[in-house]
Amino acid sequence: MSKHHVKRLVVLRHAKAAWPEGVPDVDRPLAERGHADAPEAGKWLLAHRVVPDFILCSVALRTRQTCTWVCGELGDLAPTPKLESGLYAAGAARMLAVINHVPDTVRTLLVIAHMPGVQDLVLRLASRDSDQDAYLDAANHFPTTGLAVLEVDKPWAELDGQDANLTHFAVPRAESRKHGQKHR
């Protein structure tokens, strides 16, 4: 397919979450650090001209809060996110099944979900033509607010494995942390 027909899949791990005692996992909120870092993912998407026209977000509170911060940075360019229960606590196969139902009119899809599913999905989809540094970074460590950008030249319904080109892996962080101690 021509470059004009290439779609992009952005896989984003939610920002750092808190672990409040007695709170069910699905209801865990972002930690202070997560609230600081989450907007940086939106800024990265804008700076790299990877603006989604469709967002699928896990139903967990921490992913919804991450999504709110990202959409806040995208401003008027942000589409209305769709909450997807199939992304919560999902492995790569289940996440891919959700993506396979995305309409082909979607050109840039943002999926906001959890470990280990996000990492497993990226590694499953990345073809041999992928950027090797991006692949190794995603494989070695996929921290909170880690995001991967993959190019797809086939219908979403046909996406299966090693058929997307991983072009970027980034970990946007709040400015106050970029020059300080590295957190994981």
Side-chain angles (χ1 to χ4, degrees):
M1 268 190 180
S2 71
K3 190 74 169 171
H4 177 72
H5 293 98
V6 170
K7 296 188 275 276
R8 291 178 296 187
L9 170 61
V10 181
V11 180
L12 172 63
R13 182 180 177 193
H14 63 79
K16 183 69 176 173
W19 292 87
E21 191 173 328
V23 173
D25 183 71
V26 72
D27 294 326
R28 287 177 43 220
L30 289 182
E32 183 178 333
R33 186 175 109 198
H35 285 289
D37 288 343
E40 299 304 317
K43 290 176 185 175
W44 189 96
L45 294 173
L46 282 174
H48 291 84
R49 296 187 173 111
V50 183
V51 178
D53 53 314
F54 197 72
I55 299 174
L56 290 172
C57 181
S58 164
V59 296
L61 178 58
R62 59 194 177 274
T63 52
R64 290 183 284 131
Q65 289 177 320
T66 299
C67 186
T68 298
W69 282 113
V70 169
C71 288
E73 291 300 323
L74 297 177
D76 292 341
L77 298 174
T80 301
K82 179 179 186 277
L83 295 180
E84 179 55 62
S85 60
L87 295 175
Y88 176 68
R94 188 165 156 203
M95 291 177 70
L96 187 55
V98 171
I99 292 167
N100 288 152
H101 286 92
V102 171
D104 277 324
T105 54
V106 173
R107 307 308 303 161
T108 300
L109 171 63
L110 171 60
V111 174
I112 305 173
H114 313 268
M115 278 293 279
V118 291
Q119 184 179 42
D120 293 345
L121 176 67
V122 169
L123 298 180
R124 175 177 174 167
L125 293 177
S127 72
R128 295 173 194 243
D129 295 328
S130 293
D131 178 281
Q132 292 304 302
D133 289 335
Y135 185 90
L136 289 173
D137 288 345
N140 288 328
H141 189 58
F142 208 117
T144 53
T145 66
L147 66 85
V149 180
L150 300 111
E151 291 183 345
V152 178
D153 67 356
K154 57 174 42 180
W156 296 114
E158 294 178 16
L159 201 56
D160 183 34
Q162 294 189 344
D163 47 5
N165 184 20
L166 176 60
T167 60
H168 295 85
F169 181 78
V171 185
R173 294 285 194 217
E175 191 61 41
S176 62
R177 297 195 32 240
K178 288 180 183 172
H179 305 291
Q181 181 183 6
K182 195 172 189 175
H183 291 42
R184 294 192 176 228

